């Protein structure tokens, strides 16, 4: 209720997540799009070109008869019809344990347009709420088609460059984000980071899909290094081999992995990211030395790169 009370209303909304812009357009002029505070910084002008255009409706969403290809029994499910139309469904669990479908979006085969149906909410009867985790699910699906990676990782900007710290829940992403912020870094995200290739450079983009530290920014920065977090009695950073980097990163992708061409696109981008970026394992204690050690790792990697002999 508090989050909704502080939300903002718009006739329509375009949101940018990394390279992706999604427009939420109510089907009727008397309806509005309601944005929670965490999403407002990601709003861009309505004049911006969009990659995915969603027509938004109130009503009772109905799931396709096709069996889910991902997420079966989870709070979300992905279905794909024979004609290539995809449907992402979001569920809520009642007090009696019954799952109810509260929101569904159908996306055409190219994922560039679709129809969103949302059950009305008592708190905002004429407002279509853009809420988590549904905005993240749809964005991650389309980003996969675009060849962008979404990592279970926090990221910070230090002196104009991004450091990415990946890990499963409990690995210490929010802890590292808090340490870095205290030392002057800008937190792009404390739990989800979009990674893209831009003109041959690896770029990290902040997202609003945050974890326990609750920091998010639409900023982007060229990646200086990616680290796999591991809490330990002492702080040290060691290099990951390309094979280790690929395996550890692939399992931390927050994206559906059903459509073959999208999996191949992601795999290709990941290989290029690893080719161009130092990857390390950061064993750390929750203290300032964690960031200092990461920065030292980056400096050493740059020195090696500068002195490398190209055949």
């Amino acid at each position: 209720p508090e989050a909704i009370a502080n939300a903002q209303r718009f006739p329509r909304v375009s949101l940018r997540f990394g390279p992706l812009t999604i427009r939420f357009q109510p089907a009727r002029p008397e309806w509005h799009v309601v944005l929670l505070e965490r999403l407002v910084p990601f709003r861009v002008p309505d004049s911006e070109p969009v990659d995915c255009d969603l027509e938004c409706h109130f009503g009772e969403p109905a799931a396709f008869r096709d069996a889910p290809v991902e997420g079966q029994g989870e709070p979300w499910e992905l279905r794909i019809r024979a004609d290539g139309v995809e449907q992402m469904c979001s569920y809520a669990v009642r007090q009696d344990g019954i799952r109810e479908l509260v929101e569904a979006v159908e996306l055409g085969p190219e994922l560039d347009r679709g129809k969103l149906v949302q059950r009305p909410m008592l708190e905002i009867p004429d407002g279509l709420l853009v809420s988590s985790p549904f905005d993240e699910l749809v964005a991650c699906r389309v980003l996969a088609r675009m060849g962008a990676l979404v990592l279970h990782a926090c990221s910070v900007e230090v002196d104009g460059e991004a450091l990415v710290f990946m890990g499963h829940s409990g690995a210490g992403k929010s802890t590292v984000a808090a340490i870095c912020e205290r030392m002057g870094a800008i937190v792009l995200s404390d739990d989800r980071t979009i990674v893209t290739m831009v003109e041959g450079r690896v770029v990290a983009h902040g997202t609003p899909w945050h974890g326990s530290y609750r920091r998010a920014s639409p900023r982007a920065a060229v990646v200086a290094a990616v680290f796999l977090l591991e809490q330990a009695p002492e702080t040290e950073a060691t290099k990951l081999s390309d094979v280790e980097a690929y395996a550890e990163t692939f399992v931390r992708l927050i994206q559906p992995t059903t459509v073959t061409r999208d999996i191949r696109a992601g795999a290709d981008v990941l290989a290029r990211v690893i080719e161009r970026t130092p990857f390390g394992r950061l064993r750390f204690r929750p203290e300032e030395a964690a960031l200092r050690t990461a920065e030292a790792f980056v400096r050493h990697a740059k020195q090696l790169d500068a002195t490398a002999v190209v055949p």
Side-chain angles (χ1 to χ4, degrees), residues 255-301:
Q255 292 166 279
T257 54
T258 298
V259 180
T260 301
R261 68 167 176 169
D262 298 342
I263 298 172
R264 288 175 176 168
D268 177 65
V269 171
L270 178 54
R272 288 188 287 146
V273 167
I274 292 171
E275 184 181 80
R276 291 166 172 79
T277 310
F279 273 70
R281 184 188 308 273
L282 181 63
R283 298 182 174 91
F284 76 102
R285 295 178 60 184
E287 55 190 13
E288 291 186 359
L291 176 57
R292 298 300 181 216
T293 301
E295 291 176 321
F297 179 92
V298 170
R299 289 194 298 271
H300 181 66

Side-chain angles (χ1 to χ4, degrees), residues 62-81:
F64 290 167
R65 294 183 177 180
D66 306 74
V69 295
E70 284 203 46
Q72 187 166 8
E74 298 294 327
W76 66 274
E77 292 177 341
L78 171 65
R79 292 173 170 82
I80 303 178
R81 288 195 321 217

Side-chain angles (χ1 to χ4, degrees), residues 134-245:
F134 201 68
D135 57 323
E136 178 185 357
L137 294 172
V138 174
C140 286
R141 180 68 196 95
V142 183
L143 284 164
R145 176 61 52 88
M146 298 175 73
L149 307 176
V150 184
L151 292 181
H152 196 180
C154 77
S155 53
V156 301
E157 183 181 334
V158 181
D159 297 330
E161 294 184 315
L163 299 177
V164 178
F165 302 93
M166 61 183 180
H168 290 311
S169 297
K173 297 185 297 300
S174 294
T175 299
V176 167
I179 291 170
C180 293
E181 187 175 52
R182 288 198 303 269
M183 297 175 67
I186 300 170
V187 179
L188 303 180
S189 174
D190 72 331
D191 200 62
R192 302 285 197 269
T193 297
I194 297 169
V195 176
T196 61
M197 294 293 304
V198 181
E199 296 179 350
R201 300 187 299 175
V202 181
V203 178
H205 308 259
T207 77
W209 312 311
H210 47 58
S212 59
Y213 192 52
R214 307 187 70 79
R215 293 293 191 274
S217 169
R219 295 170 64 97
V222 174
V223 176
V226 179
F227 296 94
L228 176 66
L229 289 179
E230 182 180 311
Q231 297 191 49
E234 302 296 332
T235 299
E236 65 171 352
T238 56
K239 187 179 186 302
L240 287 178
S241 70
D242 289 353
V243 172
E244 290 174 317

Side-chain angles (χ1 to χ4, degrees), residues 24 31-32 34 55-61 101-105 115-121 124 126-131 134:
F24 296 82
W31 296 343
H32 292 80
V34 178
E55 184 181 81
C56 304
H57 297 255
F58 284 124
E60 289 294 330
L101 179 58
V102 296
E103 197 167 30
V105 63
K115 176 182 177 181
L116 184 151
V117 179
Q118 184 180 98
R119 293 178 65 179
M121 299 181 62
I124 44 173
D126 63 341
L128 292 142
L129 179 66
V130 181
S131 62
F134 201 68

Side-chain angles (χ1 to χ4, degrees), residues 1-7:
E2 180 181 353
I4 293 177
N6 296 329

